[in-house]
Amino acid sequence: MKTMHKSPWLLHYDGSSCNGCDIEVLACTTPVYDVERFGVVNTGNPMHADIFLVTGGINSQNEDVVKQIYSQMPDPKVVLAVGTCACTGGIFKECYNIKGGVDTVIPVDIYVPGCAARPESIIDGVVKAVALFQKKHEEEEKKKNGRYR
Amino acid sequence: MAKRSVVPFGPQHPVLPEPIHLDLVMEDETVIEAVPSIGYVHRGLESLVKKKDFNEMVYVTERICGICSFMHGMGYCSAVEKIMNVEVPRRADYLRTIWSEMSRLHSHLLWLGLLADAFGFEALFMQSWRLREKILDMFEISTGGRVIFSVNKIGGVLKDMPEDMLKSFVSILNDMEKELSETTTVFLNEYTVRSRLEGVGIITKEDAIRRGAVGPMMRASGIEVDMRKTGYAAYSDIDFEVITSDKCDSLARCQVRIGEIFQSIGIIRQAVEKIPEGEISVPVKGNPDGEYFMRLEQPRGEAFYYVRANGTKFLDRMRVRTPTFANIPAMLQTLQGAQFADVPLLILTIDPCISCTER
Ligand code: SF4
């Protein structure tokens, strides 16, 4: 478990984004930007994931999906909201089907603004998420050790 | 008879960049029927016409989909311009054509990458996306944005491209052509790739017409439809052939899109040669009154924009029919009788864009 916190896995879910932020997140995993150099691997399985990256706002249909993915992820976990839509609802805030940002259904740790969020800022967010994940992980370890002593 | 079972597919799935849910009725490894359920990306964007005026709607329509954002903005602007009888300066038409073709280039390269990812050829995915970054750089230089540009306005465009910038773009594209042909020959000739694509997901000519397919899906079934031939923007001055194929399978769709990549480069070259000097926008006064249908060719096929205005700042109705919506019936047909392992690939061959379908 000691080494795990050095390479958290990332799960990307597209809420109700316009694809703009979505393809920028994908672009981050390809050669020009390549977030994998920070030890982050993009996975498709919530049960393997430590960082939950959401683009786009929450609507009535995907609300349960987001909650379910969040609950399936093992603790500790970090949630990253990418794009203005995911932070607040953005340009679609006034639409009848949009409830607001991701924080209306699950707790969000890091907000990456921008419409579309630029790859540089997404990478910045991911690097912060990695640091936060390490911190959360250490706290968890401490708690456990305390309990056993 | 083998036992039937239902396998849920999506909305969160490793190969799908976007959420769509399918219930696959399976008999052993064969798909008998696919039942889609959608709505995961539905925002209710068309209803914003009541809250935002017709000028602000340009920015909303650009965000229908981040992949063809330029064309969505352009379709909406052209429809409103037609209602208001605004004559767009010729230079703006040419600039719109150039940006449209750049959008097509980046969209097709993105699709090639996702396709490679769907059949598990990671290196090819990375190659396609590396090449795509060069197009995005060109977008960034000319508009300031990578995926959302906001350069359209009612009455023209907001930014001009000076002569030397256009020349440099053409030389970048010339250099790219060699790299592109190296990558695309892998798609067309590599044995492993062909074995996944050839003869898979056949849509015959009759079926394509019956199911109302559009765009590359239709062209890969041997039917010549291309809205660019109707001559909107500057396409009436440009000379190009509609690319088709009669093979009707996934490889044919790949071939058509690859052909269009090179065609787009050709169109940009022609447009840069012919672009006239002059204004890039005209002032627009008053509010629109009336209705109009605009049709244009997006990377995924034909899109409709319907705008009805009532003489006030706020429109009565704005409606978009997007190409993926028209292609879904054809996709469901290809899934019938397909192998389970081919399902992600077949979904990808229509180049789905869920966010514009559901808006
Ligand atoms: S923040 Fe902007 S680019 Fe990103 S999903 Fe929302 S509308 Fe699209």
Side-chain angles (χ1 to χ4, degrees):
Chain A
M1 287 301 268
K2 272 267 162 58
T3 47
M4 188 185 101
H5 66 255
K6 287 207 174 133
S7 77
W9 285 19
L10 185 140
L11 175 81
H12 168 211
Y13 181 72
D14 170 10
S16 58
S17 87
C18 78
N19 263 349
C21 290
D22 216 28
I23 51 177
E24 291 293 63
V25 170
L26 265 185
C28 283
T29 62
T30 55
V32 178
Y33 295 100
D34 195 15
V35 287
E36 298 195 357
R37 66 202 147 112
F38 301 110
V40 179
V41 173
N42 195 0
T43 170
N45 189 343
M47 288 161 209
H48 295 168
D50 307 300
I51 299 177
F52 186 22
L53 193 158
V54 195
T55 52
I58 298 295
N59 65 22
S60 44
Q61 180 90 330
N62 69 25
E63 185 182 357
D64 293 333
V65 183
V66 171
K67 275 191 208 155
Q68 195 186 5
I69 295 175
Y70 182 75
S71 67
Q72 282 174 346
M73 284 169 55
D75 279 325
K77 48 196 162 195
V78 176
V79 179
L80 193 68
V82 172
T84 311
C85 281
C87 297
T88 64
I91 191 166
F92 306 122
K93 200 173 183 174
E94 290 172 307
C95 292
Y96 61 82
N97 202 25
I98 291 285
K99 297 209 150 151
V102 180
D103 52 8
T104 50
V105 289
I106 55 172
V108 175
D109 297 297
I110 291 162
Y111 296 87
V112 179
C115 181
R118 294 186 57 86
E120 288 86 353
S121 49
I122 297 175
I123 291 174
D124 188 36
V126 171
V127 171
K128 289 214 168 86
V130 172
L132 187 66
F133 177 71
Q134 290 177 359
K135 214 174 118 211
K136 281 194 176 183
H137 194 257
E138 274 159 21
E139 273 167 19
E140 192 117 313
E141 292 280 282
K142 247 188 229 160
K143 253 195 236 160
K144 258 193 217 153
N145 291 342
R147 216 186 299 139
Y148 290 138
R149 221 174 275 146
Chain B
M1 197 182 85
K3 216 174 127 224
R4 289 203 175 178
S5 51
V6 177
V7 180
F9 186 90
Q12 192 268 326
H13 189 278
V15 293
L16 293 177
E18 289 182 276
I20 180 170
H21 179 86
L22 295 172
D23 280 317
L24 302 172
V25 182
M26 309 280 304
E27 210 165 78
D28 294 336
E29 284 284 296
T30 316
V31 180
I32 304 294
E33 205 191 346
V35 187
S37 66
I38 56 172
Y40 293 95
V41 204
H42 180 61
R43 290 153 277 177
L45 179 153
E46 285 170 2
S47 73
L48 279 182
V49 289
K50 300 212 178 63
K51 294 175 183 148
K52 300 204 190 283
D53 70 33
F54 72 95
N55 277 319
E56 288 169 338
M57 277 307 283
V58 179
Y59 304 108
V60 177
T61 47
E62 287 212 318
R63 284 158 180 85
I64 291 174
C65 162
I67 302 177
C68 342
S69 71
F70 181 80
M71 293 188 181
H72 279 298
M74 169 177 161
Y76 170 77
C77 288
S78 316
V80 178
E81 280 153 8
K82 284 275 161 41
I83 294 176
M84 300 176 84
N85 283 325
V86 174
E87 186 77 31
V88 177
R90 207 61 191 144
R91 187 170 178 91
D93 271 342
Y94 269 86
L95 289 172
R96 282 180 177 179
T97 307
I98 294 171
W99 275 317
S100 298
E101 288 310 314
M102 273 157 63
S103 300
R104 198 179 312 278
L105 268 172
H106 106 79
S107 172
H108 281 349
L109 280 169
L110 173 140
W111 176 80
L112 283 176
L114 292 179
L115 181 75
D117 193 37
F119 54 64
F121 201 148
E122 199 72 8
L124 206 51
F125 165 51
M126 296 293 173
Q127 270 299 334
S128 314
W129 280 59
R130 186 179 65 78
L131 290 170
R132 175 178 165 268
E133 285 294 332
K134 297 195 181 167
I135 311 282
L136 293 189
D137 285 346
M138 284 160 52
F139 268 125
E140 199 171 347
I141 295 169
S142 55
T143 69
R146 279 168 51 91
V147 289
I148 305 277
F149 316 116
S150 304
V151 280
N152 269 308
K153 71 170 223 164
I154 292 164
V157 291
L158 289 168
K159 287 196 177 124
D160 198 0
M161 289 195 255
E163 173 99 37
D164 50 342
M165 190 192 282
L166 287 169
K167 289 268 155 58
S168 72
F169 284 177
V170 170
S171 74
I172 293 174
L173 288 173
N174 287 344
D175 296 343
M176 252 180 89
E177 234 174 1
K178 195 169 146 280
E179 275 188 285
L180 271 172
S181 60
E182 273 170 16
T183 311
T184 50
T185 36
V186 181
F187 280 97
L188 298 178
N189 298 328
E190 165 75 31
Y191 168 74
T192 47
V193 177
R194 281 188 83 113
S195 68
R196 286 303 301 274
L197 298 179
E198 219 165 13
V200 176
I202 290 183
I203 283 274
T204 57
K205 203 169 177 174
E206 291 73 34
D207 279 339
I209 295 175
R210 203 149 46 93
R211 308 262 163 186
V214 290
M217 193 84 176
M218 196 75 153
R219 295 198 277 276
S221 294
I223 301 156
E224 241 182 74
V225 274
D226 194 329
M227 282 306 119
R228 287 179 285 177
K229 282 285 177 200
T230 59
Y232 65 87
Y235 287 109
S236 47
D237 298 354
I238 281 164
D239 169 40
F240 66 99
E241 298 274 309
V242 179
I243 296 175
T244 57
S245 163
D246 315 312
K247 290 215 219 73
C248 312
D249 58 357
S250 301
L251 188 67
R253 277 163 233 152
C254 192
Q255 239 164 14
V256 167
R257 291 201 176 95
I258 287 173
E260 285 178 12
I261 289 179
F262 293 101
Q263 185 184 48
S264 291
I265 296 181
I267 294 179
I268 295 176
R269 243 184 242 135
Q270 283 187 40
V272 169
E273 255 167 45
K274 290 184 183 163
I275 190 164
E277 289 296 324
E279 290 295 310
I280 55 165
S281 70
V282 287
V284 177
K285 284 201 192 75
N287 295 326
D289 191 4
E291 58 180 353
Y292 195 77
F293 257 117
M294 175 77 200
R295 304 161 80 189
L296 50 81
E297 185 77 15
Q298 286 188 343
R300 286 158 186 76
E302 172 189 355
F304 275 24
Y305 293 83
Y306 170 70
V307 177
R308 194 173 70 221
N310 53 9
T312 65
K313 265 198 333 191
F314 298 95
L315 303 174
D316 264 350
R317 184 86 170 98
M318 197 264 303
R319 166 96 182 120
V320 188
R321 203 289 315 265
T322 59
T324 308
F325 183 74
N327 276 334
I328 283 180
M331 174 190 92
L332 294 178
Q333 196 194 351
T334 59
L335 287 175
Q336 278 168 20
Q339 290 298 304
F340 186 60
D342 284 335
V343 170
L345 189 106
L346 288 174
I347 294 178
L348 270 175
T349 53
I350 71 159
D351 198 355
C353 174
I354 310 298
S355 102
C356 63
T357 310
E358 301 184 343
R359 299 182 292 284

